[in-house]
PDB file of all heavy atoms in Angstrom:
ATOM      1  N   ILE A 231     100.283  65.165  80.335  1.00 70.00           N
ATOM      2  CA  ILE A 231     100.029  64.818  78.946  1.00 70.00           C
ATOM      3  C   ILE A 231      98.870  65.502  78.515  1.00 70.00           C
ATOM      4  O   ILE A 231      97.833  65.773  79.234  1.00 70.00           O
ATOM      5  CB  ILE A 231      99.499  63.208  79.112  1.00 70.00           C
ATOM      6  CG1 ILE A 231     100.617  62.457  79.675  1.00 70.00           C
ATOM      7  CG2 ILE A 231      99.255  62.741  77.772  1.00 70.00           C
ATOM      8  CD1 ILE A 231     101.786  62.373  78.940  1.00 70.00           C
ATOM      9  N   PRO A 232      98.937  66.174  77.300  1.00 64.00           N
ATOM     10  CA  PRO A 232      97.860  66.916  76.786  1.00 64.00           C
ATOM     11  C   PRO A 232      96.555  66.093  76.408  1.00 64.00           C
ATOM     12  O   PRO A 232      96.641  64.963  76.131  1.00 64.00           O
ATOM     13  CB  PRO A 232      98.371  67.409  75.392  1.00 64.00           C
ATOM     14  CG  PRO A 232      99.489  66.488  74.994  1.00 64.00           C
ATOM     15  CD  PRO A 232      99.971  65.999  76.437  1.00 64.00           C
ATOM     16  N   ASN A 233      95.400  66.623  76.922  1.00 61.00           N
ATOM     17  CA  ASN A 233      94.099  65.980  76.610  1.00 61.00           C
ATOM     18  C   ASN A 233      93.247  66.756  75.850  1.00 61.00           C
ATOM     19  O   ASN A 233      92.033  66.550  75.728  1.00 61.00           O
ATOM     20  CB  ASN A 233      93.311  65.579  77.989  1.00 61.00           C
ATOM     21  CG  ASN A 233      93.372  66.730  78.888  1.00 61.00           C
ATOM     22  OD1 ASN A 233      93.164  67.890  78.436  1.00 61.00           O
ATOM     23  ND2 ASN A 233      93.296  66.422  80.098  1.00 61.00           N
ATOM     24  N   ASP A 234      93.949  67.747  75.111  1.00 61.00           N
ATOM     25  CA  ASP A 234      93.124  68.586  74.275  1.00 61.00           C
ATOM     26  C   ASP A 234      94.101  69.138  73.078  1.00 61.00           C
ATOM     27  O   ASP A 234      95.272  69.428  73.369  1.00 61.00           O
ATOM     28  CB  ASP A 234      92.361  69.882  74.950  1.00 61.00           C
ATOM     29  CG  ASP A 234      91.572  70.649  73.978  1.00 61.00           C
ATOM     30  OD1 ASP A 234      92.136  71.498  73.280  1.00 61.00           O
ATOM     31  OD2 ASP A 234      90.477  70.507  73.924  1.00 61.00           O
ATOM     32  N   LYS A 235      93.708  69.180  71.859  1.00 56.00           N
ATOM     33  CA  LYS A 235      94.628  69.505  70.796  1.00 56.00           C
ATOM     34  C   LYS A 235      95.211  70.896  70.942  1.00 56.00           C
ATOM     35  O   LYS A 235      96.188  71.280  70.402  1.00 56.00           O
ATOM     36  CB  LYS A 235      93.989  69.371  69.425  1.00 56.00           C
ATOM     37  CG  LYS A 235      92.773  70.184  69.359  1.00 56.00           C
ATOM     38  CD  LYS A 235      92.167  69.802  68.057  1.00 56.00           C
ATOM     39  CE  LYS A 235      90.885  70.690  67.656  1.00 56.00           C
ATOM     40  NZ  LYS A 235      90.261  70.164  66.370  1.00 56.00           N
ATOM     41  N   THR A 236      94.400  71.763  71.657  1.00 51.00           N
ATOM     42  CA  THR A 236      94.969  73.127  71.844  1.00 51.00           C
ATOM     43  C   THR A 236      96.143  73.203  72.777  1.00 51.00           C
ATOM     44  O   THR A 236      96.867  74.208  72.887  1.00 51.00           O
ATOM     45  CB  THR A 236      93.889  74.044  72.439  1.00 51.00           C
ATOM     46  OG1 THR A 236      93.435  73.509  73.700  1.00 51.00           O
ATOM     47  CG2 THR A 236      92.557  74.142  71.527  1.00 51.00           C
ATOM     48  N   GLU A 237      96.412  72.116  73.486  1.00 53.00           N
ATOM     49  CA  GLU A 237      97.490  72.009  74.489  1.00 53.00           C
ATOM     50  C   GLU A 237      98.885  71.493  73.889  1.00 53.00           C
ATOM     51  O   GLU A 237      99.906  71.513  74.531  1.00 53.00           O
ATOM     52  CB  GLU A 237      97.123  71.131  75.694  1.00 53.00           C
ATOM     53  CG  GLU A 237      95.873  71.569  76.497  1.00 53.00           C
ATOM     54  CD  GLU A 237      95.615  70.731  77.605  1.00 53.00           C
ATOM     55  OE1 GLU A 237      96.366  69.752  77.899  1.00 53.00           O
ATOM     56  OE2 GLU A 237      94.542  70.853  78.234  1.00 53.00           O
ATOM     57  N   ILE A 238      98.794  71.076  72.625  1.00 54.00           N
ATOM     58  CA  ILE A 238     100.046  70.491  72.038  1.00 54.00           C
ATOM     59  C   ILE A 238     100.752  71.696  71.415  1.00 54.00           C
ATOM     60  O   ILE A 238     100.766  71.875  70.294  1.00 54.00           O
ATOM     61  CB  ILE A 238      99.608  69.389  70.861  1.00 54.00           C
ATOM     62  CG1 ILE A 238      98.625  68.380  71.533  1.00 54.00           C
ATOM     63  CG2 ILE A 238     100.807  68.737  70.431  1.00 54.00           C
ATOM     64  CD1 ILE A 238      98.181  67.246  70.583  1.00 54.00           C
ATOM     65  N   ASP A 239     101.538  72.303  72.255  1.00 51.00           N
ATOM     66  CA  ASP A 239     102.379  73.339  71.857  1.00 51.00           C
ATOM     67  C   ASP A 239     103.911  72.950  71.973  1.00 51.00           C
ATOM     68  O   ASP A 239     104.640  73.313  71.190  1.00 51.00           O
ATOM     69  CB  ASP A 239     102.162  74.548  72.720  1.00 51.00           C
ATOM     70  CG  ASP A 239     100.751  75.178  72.554  1.00 51.00           C
ATOM     71  OD1 ASP A 239     100.317  75.126  71.366  1.00 51.00           O
ATOM     72  OD2 ASP A 239     100.129  75.555  73.535  1.00 51.00           O
ATOM     73  N   THR A 240     104.169  72.134  73.040  1.00 56.00           N
ATOM     74  CA  THR A 240     105.612  71.831  73.281  1.00 56.00           C
ATOM     75  C   THR A 240     105.812  70.366  72.957  1.00 56.00           C
ATOM     76  O   THR A 240     104.861  69.526  73.144  1.00 56.00           O
ATOM     77  CB  THR A 240     105.811  71.993  74.872  1.00 56.00           C
ATOM     78  OG1 THR A 240     105.511  73.364  75.175  1.00 56.00           O
ATOM     79  CG2 THR A 240     107.389  71.832  75.022  1.00 56.00           C
ATOM     80  N   ASP A 241     106.945  70.016  72.428  1.00 68.00           N
ATOM     81  CA  ASP A 241     107.311  68.650  72.141  1.00 68.00           C
ATOM     82  C   ASP A 241     107.253  67.793  73.484  1.00 68.00           C
ATOM     83  O   ASP A 241     107.855  68.348  74.487  1.00 68.00           O
ATOM     84  CB  ASP A 241     108.739  68.687  71.632  1.00 68.00           C
ATOM     85  CG  ASP A 241     109.197  67.216  71.335  1.00 68.00           C
ATOM     86  OD1 ASP A 241     108.745  66.692  70.475  1.00 68.00           O
ATOM     87  OD2 ASP A 241     109.965  66.689  72.259  1.00 68.00           O
ATOM     88  N   ILE A 242     106.408  66.786  73.277  1.00 75.00           N
ATOM     89  CA  ILE A 242     106.221  65.976  74.624  1.00 75.00           C
ATOM     90  C   ILE A 242     107.412  65.492  75.224  1.00 75.00           C
ATOM     91  O   ILE A 242     107.577  65.294  76.426  1.00 75.00           O
ATOM     92  CB  ILE A 242     105.140  64.935  74.264  1.00 75.00           C
ATOM     93  CG1 ILE A 242     104.603  64.271  75.574  1.00 75.00           C
ATOM     94  CG2 ILE A 242     105.752  63.761  73.326  1.00 75.00           C
ATOM     95  CD1 ILE A 242     103.547  63.396  75.383  1.00 75.00           C
ATOM     96  N   VAL A 243     108.440  65.071  74.487  1.00 78.00           N
ATOM     97  CA  VAL A 243     109.736  64.503  75.003  1.00 78.00           C
ATOM     98  C   VAL A 243     110.344  65.587  75.893  1.00 78.00           C
ATOM     99  O   VAL A 243     110.727  65.228  77.044  1.00 78.00           O
ATOM    100  CB  VAL A 243     110.537  64.022  73.860  1.00 78.00           C
ATOM    101  CG1 VAL A 243     111.890  63.547  74.448  1.00 78.00           C
ATOM    102  CG2 VAL A 243     109.884  63.048  72.957  1.00 78.00           C
ATOM    103  N   THR A 244     110.480  66.742  75.351  1.00 78.00           N
ATOM    104  CA  THR A 244     111.241  67.977  76.089  1.00 78.00           C
ATOM    105  C   THR A 244     110.300  68.259  77.245  1.00 78.00           C
ATOM    106  O   THR A 244     110.891  68.361  78.395  1.00 78.00           O
ATOM    107  CB  THR A 244     111.182  69.121  75.089  1.00 78.00           C
ATOM    108  OG1 THR A 244     111.840  68.799  73.967  1.00 78.00           O
ATOM    109  CG2 THR A 244     111.913  70.161  75.966  1.00 78.00           C
TER     110      THR A 244
END
Side-chain angles (χ1 to χ4, degrees):
I231 305 297
N233 51 33
D234 184 276
K235 61 186 177 183
T236 61
E237 297 179 7
I238 305 181
D239 297 323
T240 307
D241 177 74
I242 190 171
V243 180
T244 302

